[in-house]
């Protein structure tokens, strides 16, 4: 599975962005998807995850109520809609996929996209 993330950019605090992650390759596999963020000098952190069916979603406490993860399996794409962005949301955002795991442990995701930069200015 190959993942291509896009949609990052620079916004002011309070603004919004929508990230996309499109999967290709063995996309007939039912993969669970996650988004992680990594700020300079920090470890990669869990942001949100969604099961292959889209029925279950999970969020980090820091983004609950502001970020929404969704997916369109017909388009092999997962989205992360971010609103009320804060300067502390500034990071490179990565999408990840797993055939069997759903959760916050980055080590359990086998496939990763290249990352897209999100910059939020105050």
């Amino acid at each position: 599975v190959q993942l291509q993330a896009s949609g990052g950019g620079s916004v002011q605090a309070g603004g919004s962005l929508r990230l996309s992650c499109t999967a290709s390759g063995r996309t007939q596999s039912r993969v669970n998807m996650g988004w992680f963020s990594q700020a300079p000098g920090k470890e990669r952190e869990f942001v949100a995850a969604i099961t292959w069916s889209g029925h279950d979603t999970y969020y980090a406490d820091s983004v609950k109520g502001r970020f929404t993860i969704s997916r369109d399996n017909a388009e092999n794409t997962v989205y992360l809609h971010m609103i009320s962005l804060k300067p502390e949301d500034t990071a490179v955002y990565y999408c990840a996929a797993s055939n069997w795991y759903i959760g916050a442990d980055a080590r359990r995701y086998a496939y990763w996209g290249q990352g897209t930069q999100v910059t939020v200015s105050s």
Side-chain angles (χ1 to χ4, degrees), residues 6-65:
S6 62
S10 297
V11 297
Q12 290 189 331
S16 62
L17 284 172
R18 188 181 76 163
L19 307 183
S20 300
C21 178
T22 300
S24 60
R26 297 183 61 182
T27 54
Q28 66 271 27
S29 299
R30 294 177 172 178
V31 289
N32 301 320
M33 300 289 293
W35 285 97
F36 291 78
S37 66
Q38 187 166 20
K42 295 187 177 181
E43 294 187 352
R44 197 164 294 189
E45 296 181 344
F46 171 72
V47 176
I50 187 168
T51 53
W52 67 266
S53 65
H55 290 164
D56 298 296
T57 57
Y58 305 86
Y59 296 93
D61 288 342
S62 60
V63 306
K64 284 180 181 177

Side-chain angles (χ1 to χ4, degrees), residues 81-102:
H81 188 201
M82 307 183 292
I83 66 171
S84 301
L85 283 161
K86 304 174 181 179
E88 51 263 44
D89 295 321
T90 295
V92 177
Y93 284 73
Y94 297 89
C95 58
S98 173
N99 291 106
W100 61 276
Y101 177 75
I102 183 73

Side-chain angles (χ1 to χ4, degrees), residues 67-88:
F67 291 10
T68 303
I69 189 171
S70 63
R71 67 189 298 162
D72 181 344
N73 285 340
E75 298 293 330
N76 294 320
T77 300
V78 173
Y79 303 98
L80 185 67
H81 188 201
M82 307 183 292
I83 66 171
S84 301
L85 283 161
K86 304 174 181 179
E88 51 263 44

Side-chain angles (χ1 to χ4, degrees), residues 103-115:
D105 189 345
R107 299 169 298 177
R108 297 178 181 266
Y109 288 85
Y111 310 102
W112 290 85
Q114 85 289 1

